[in-house]
Amino acid sequence: MAAEPAEHDEDQLDPQRIPVLRLDTARYPDETFDEGFLAGLRTALHEIGFLQLTGYGATPEQIGELTAAAARFFALPLDERLRLDNRLSPHFRGYTRLGHEITAGRADAREQIDFAPEQAPVPRELWDAPYRLLEGPNQWPDDTVPELRSLVEQWAGLMGRIGRELTRAIAAALALPEGHFDQYFAGQPHWFGKLIHYVGAADGADQQGVGPHTDWNFLTLLLQDDSGGLQALPAGTNQWIDVPPVDGALIVNIGEMLEVATHGYL
């Protein structure tokens, strides 16, 4: 079932509901931004920090192929998954086994693959900053789930295009030139991606999929499955609200970099 666009009237935001916006309605035919879309975007990110995004260009087939390939990887025997152990990568790429991610002081009930732009390592003598260690190759299960690499790379390319468009829309929503943030993402910007498998809690167990946290980045684009469980804490409240799954939608939330860049407005 298709999601309806969110109301664009800033006075209509329901603090108990995560707004849904369609990216394919963001611009007029003359390529200028639709003021209604910008108003909805501004309100969602100012009042809650989260929104759901549809109409962004992914097909159900693309989503199905990607999620199925990820599921095939996580169904492999543990010793096969550990061949991609991220402890073998100085660039923090690869597989993290169950219980090895800690959030808010507690182990998370999840396993994951971390990946980023495919790059050659930068020799230490050429580093201009310690974070150059993050540049390097990914680890992929090419001999067990060979299709995963290309599916993830296609998805990452789509997310990059969406991220650029959203970043420009955010600038326009703040009454800035839409290219205001472009300089910070010129060239080869460093994004970071994850495929995450939440295993669920055993009966009666007090486990967290991932604990309360904020993201450190500029924007997060998250594809949620139909299991649910994701929650958001709107600004100025202490009541967590559910982010219900919307078929095929992306969850968009701001990170600390964007919060700092807008002096806390977003």
Side-chain angles (χ1 to χ4, degrees):
M1 185 173 70
E4 293 295 326
E7 294 287 343
H8 291 320
D9 186 339
E10 295 194 51
D11 296 329
Q12 298 298 312
L13 184 65
D14 180 353
Q16 297 302 311
R17 178 176 177 269
I18 302 299
V20 181
L21 298 177
R22 291 192 62 94
L23 188 60
D24 55 8
T25 68
R27 292 184 186 265
Y28 294 119
D30 66 0
E31 292 302 310
T32 59
F33 277 109
D34 178 285
E35 290 298 330
F37 179 88
L38 296 182
L41 179 67
R42 179 171 57 249
T43 301
L45 296 185
H46 174 60
E47 298 291 343
I48 298 177
F50 272 70
L51 61 92
Q52 304 228 41
L53 191 71
T54 61
Y56 57 89
T59 65
E61 292 75 19
Q62 181 181 17
I63 293 172
E65 290 175 358
L66 175 63
T67 54
R72 286 193 288 275
F73 172 80
F74 290 118
L76 292 172
L78 179 60
D79 60 342
E80 290 287 337
R81 285 173 276 155
L82 284 174
R83 290 170 57 189
L84 276 62
D85 194 328
N86 72 344
R87 293 173 296 183
L88 302 174
S89 167
H91 318 293
F92 307 100
R93 318 283 184 90
Y95 173 70
T96 300
R97 65 188 299 176
L98 182 65
H100 280 222
E101 282 282 334
I102 307 295
T103 307
R106 296 173 57 198
D108 298 331
R110 60 174 166 144
E111 56 182 341
Q112 65 191 41
I113 300 176
D114 291 304
F115 56 93
E118 199 74 48
Q119 297 167 311
V122 178
R124 189 179 184 89
E125 62 271 18
L126 299 181
W127 287 3
D128 56 358
Y131 54 73
R132 298 302 294 273
L133 178 63
L134 295 174
E135 298 180 40
N138 295 305
Q139 298 192 84
W140 298 110
D142 289 334
D143 55 346
T144 52
V145 190
E147 66 277 22
L148 186 62
R149 180 200 293 248
S150 62
L151 290 169
V152 168
E153 289 174 345
Q154 292 169 25
W155 187 257
L158 175 62
M159 295 301 102
R161 294 190 292 275
I162 294 166
R164 285 190 293 274
E165 181 71 348
L166 280 174
T167 298
R168 289 169 179 167
I170 288 169
L174 297 173
L176 298 167
E178 69 172 75
H180 177 79
F181 296 113
D182 284 2
Q183 60 182 312
Y184 303 110
F185 302 100
Q188 296 182 316
H190 192 88
W191 49 263
F192 205 72
K194 297 174 181 285
L195 299 174
I196 306 175
H197 175 218
Y198 294 101
V199 303
D203 290 344
D206 180 22
Q207 288 182 292
Q208 62 184 19
V210 57
H213 67 282
T214 57
D215 291 341
W216 51 265
N217 56 352
F218 199 85
L219 280 177
T220 295
L221 306 177
L222 168 66
L223 179 66
Q224 185 178 202
D225 67 13
D226 60 4
S227 299
L230 180 65
Q231 294 185 311
L233 186 65
T237 75
N238 58 7
Q239 182 179 358
W240 291 87
I241 61 175
D242 292 332
V243 185
V246 172
D247 189 29
L250 290 177
I251 309 300
V252 179
N253 68 269
I254 67 166
E256 293 173 345
M257 291 182 184
L258 181 53
E259 182 177 3
V260 170
T262 60
H263 299 279
Y265 181 76
L266 303 183

